[in-house]
Amino acid sequence: MKHNRKYMRRSFTTSLTVALLTLAVGCNDDYLDRLPETEIGVDNFFNTEEDLAIYVNGLYSFPGLGLYYDDATDNAGTTGNREIKTIMTTEANSQTITSGWGWGSLRDINLFLENADKANIGEDIKNHYIGVARFFRAQFYMEKVKRYSNVPWYDHVLATDSEDLYKASDSRETVVDHIFEDYQFAMDHVKEDVPTGAVDRWTVMAYYSRNALYEGTFRKYHSELGLEATANTYLQLAESVSQDIVDQGGFAIYNTGNPNGDYLALFNSQDLTANPEVIFTNIHEVDIKNTDDPQYLFGSYEMSMGRDLLESYLMTDGSYFSEEPNMGTMTFVEEFQNRDPRLSQTYAYPGWELYYTSTYSPGTTNYVQELKKNFTGYHQIKGFANDPSLDVRRGIDIPVLRYAEVLLNLAEAKAELGTLDQTALNETVNQLRSRVGMPPLNMDVALDPVQAERYPSVTNAVLLEIRRERRVEFAMEGRRLDDLNRWKAGKLLEKEPLGMYFPGLGQYDLTGDGVEDIELLGAADPIPDPKELNDLGVALVYYRAGSVGSNADVYLTNGTSGYVVGTPERGTFQEPKHYYRPIPAPEMALNPNLEQVFGWD
């Protein structure tokens, strides 16, 4: 493959490697106070390629990397504090929602861009570093546009007495035009052959693809902007750039012929640098940058996955789960039977063997889900290295950008533009389905009424299935809230997360071996002492079940039967207001020329 040489390099200049390994932490807003102007000084810096490389390394920032970032969406609930949860459940305003308005990293970028031309090096090398900096500026501003829509555009460093400090916001159209000028420059000049972990041309193009699709669909579905007529401009960019990656990048869907393991292997690998699907990875390095030990995936800390996501996975024959005659009353073991293999590579399934947990002693254990108040009972294995070694569990590489996303961007852009055909489906969506042994998606697919109800503005059955594919493929990768925002589907966030279904009190098998593991008692019932042993000689786990608010161990929708209730009361999603965020009140006081949008105060 054309690009593979970049994956195999592991040893480079120590300072560069260490700098790149800090990308998950990102840059502090006070970076310039520490380095460029006071300690190095612009007059004595920006003269060599090494100067440019050192400075650009300090610009690396990829916030929100991880595999547990769909909480507080329709994919998962949370007992923790999340911005969208606060907005929907409180009288949120510019006094209470105050994050996201920092501009320090933009000043770092613009300082570099104002001085990089001084370097006495070849134009192609210089433009590479300038391209990386402009890529980061595009990334910075894309996040600002997602939050505020209209923001001031600055392409130069501001002095403390600059009048531009008090300028009004520029229009979304103006800012987005500049963003994609930056992406285009970066795509044209950033090199393919760079050190492992550094931004290369394909990283730039993948983000270009993602954000062109975001802007195109956002404009198409958000009539409050009045920009529907320009939506296709960005959808065409998404289609074109995605197609260029497909045609020129040499990437491929990771597929060894193991449909029950290949998908999961992307998320528990110790080294993704040679994986043909991974465009950009957050590389772990022992004792320098480790991932968290995600014990909290197992129902004991804040986040728990929901049944709504589980219901989105198809049956193994490609039919809709919603068509199953008893879909709504399936128990835990039943609902995992004959499903898209990605379900059991995302959720802990009946019979999953756990090799480590804080509850059980090390060694193979037939895992039994824990039930708790405000948790669904579903637990996540995607992103968990199932190994007794702490170093292994903390040592996974995180796939920041996957070729799978490029393929789905391409399919969705084509579907929105009306240029999708069966050949394109086979080259995009069906590559992902083939990995897990699922039947292909065809252009004549029947409309799923459940999907149609989720997205009433869409009548195209194929587009609805592409949206399903995106939800399933990227579950818990932090893409869901952006997708719901751009599709104007925020009302889906109001649905309270539900978990496992229990038809009544009594004993239940959660491992699929036909032997009961737990027993649900009434809210006032005593727990037996001694506890009853099941046929395997293991003591049953007892839970008192009751209605929300009762003194029970687990809440059920009907008190003694029904679905396990996750975090109740999701609040109200106000359209279009909650697709945006307020400019913090202190900033409004400092700059009275700024204006809030869409009902924020």
Side-chain angles (χ1 to χ4, degrees), residues 111 218 373:
L111 182 72
F218 200 96
K373 292 179 182 177

Side-chain angles (χ1 to χ4, degrees), residues 409-564:
N409 291 349
L410 179 57
E412 185 178 344
K414 283 180 172 291
E416 293 284 7
L417 290 166
T419 61
L420 186 70
D421 58 20
Q422 190 61 49
T423 298
L425 272 181
N426 292 341
E427 293 173 349
T428 56
V429 174
N430 291 334
Q431 295 293 312
L432 307 184
R433 291 195 174 188
S434 177
R435 184 212 326 255
V436 291
M438 288 292 291
L441 174 62
N442 295 317
M443 290 293 293
D444 60 353
V445 64
L447 184 74
D448 176 12
V450 174
Q451 279 289 88
E453 183 180 0
R454 283 192 178 107
Y455 311 109
S457 61
V458 176
T459 58
N460 182 328
V462 177
L463 180 55
L464 289 173
E465 291 310 302
I466 292 170
R467 290 189 178 187
R468 179 202 306 277
E469 197 71 21
R470 190 174 185 92
R471 185 182 191 186
V472 166
E473 181 69 23
F474 301 132
M476 308 312 295
E477 293 182 52
R479 307 301 312 146
R480 185 61 176 172
L481 186 58
D482 271 0
D483 284 345
L484 294 181
N485 283 342
R486 65 190 179 88
W487 295 332
K488 202 174 184 180
K491 282 293 184 180
L492 292 175
L493 298 175
E494 294 179 351
K495 187 177 181 180
E496 295 176 4
L498 299 177
M500 301 175 181
Y501 179 79
F502 292 98
L505 304 180
Q507 297 181 0
Y508 290 93
D509 167 27
L510 297 186
T511 61
D513 60 2
V515 178
E516 290 77 10
D517 306 292
I518 70 168
E519 182 171 349
L520 298 184
L521 305 171
D525 291 344
I527 294 177
D529 185 18
K531 297 178 180 178
E532 181 181 344
L533 302 182
N534 65 17
D535 290 347
L536 298 177
V538 178
L540 292 174
V541 180
Y542 293 92
Y543 298 99
R544 297 185 179 94
S547 300
V548 174
S550 68
N551 187 28
D553 301 316
V554 59
Y555 298 145
L556 299 180
T557 51
N558 301 318
T560 58
S561 68
Y563 301 104
V564 173

Side-chain angles (χ1 to χ4, degrees), residues 45-71:
F45 201 64
F46 303 107
N47 297 316
T48 66
E49 180 181 359
E50 183 180 11
D51 289 348
L52 300 190
I54 289 172
Y55 193 105
V56 165
N57 291 342
L59 300 179
Y60 273 67
S61 178
F62 292 84
L65 300 181
L67 298 169
Y68 331 107
Y69 285 103
D70 283 350
D71 48 351

Side-chain angles (χ1 to χ4, degrees), residues 133-208:
R134 291 187 67 170
F135 162 75
F136 281 120
R137 186 167 66 185
Q139 295 288 93
F140 172 90
Y141 262 111
M142 197 67 211
E143 293 307 310
K144 288 289 185 285
V145 167
K146 287 179 182 179
R147 288 184 67 83
Y148 307 108
S149 196
N150 303 333
V151 291
W153 171 264
Y154 298 115
D155 59 3
H156 58 282
V157 176
L158 301 181
T160 56
D161 59 352
S162 173
E163 292 184 2
D164 279 350
L165 288 169
Y166 306 100
K167 68 178 287 188
S169 292
D170 291 291
S171 68
R172 185 185 187 109
E173 305 98 293
T174 296
V175 176
V176 170
D177 283 348
H178 287 311
I179 287 172
F180 284 90
E181 288 170 1
D182 277 351
Y183 276 133
Q184 187 66 46
F185 183 93
M187 185 175 73
D188 292 342
H189 293 94
V190 173
K191 295 181 179 296
E192 295 180 25
D193 192 11
V194 299
T196 300
V199 168
D200 64 5
R201 181 170 181 259
W202 307 113
T203 302
V204 171
M205 292 175 71
Y207 276 109
Y208 192 153

Side-chain angles (χ1 to χ4, degrees), residues 327-391:
M327 180 273 287
T329 57
M330 282 188 182
T331 60
F332 178 67
V333 172
E334 294 172 326
E335 63 193 3
F336 279 81
Q337 295 173 0
N338 302 315
R339 303 295 297 279
D340 181 333
R342 284 172 292 190
L343 175 59
S344 291
Q345 296 175 66
T346 303
Y347 286 69
Y349 55 87
W352 180 61
E353 293 183 346
L354 178 64
Y355 293 95
Y356 171 85
T357 177
S358 57
T359 303
Y360 298 101
S361 300
T364 302
T365 303
N366 210 7
Y367 183 65
V368 178
Q369 276 73 4
E370 179 185 10
L371 304 183
K372 292 179 66 175
K373 292 179 182 177
N374 300 322
F375 289 83
T376 62
Y378 295 121
H379 302 164
Q380 179 182 339
I381 60 173
K382 180 177 178 178
F384 178 70
N386 194 4
D387 193 282
S389 167
L390 177 62
D391 286 341

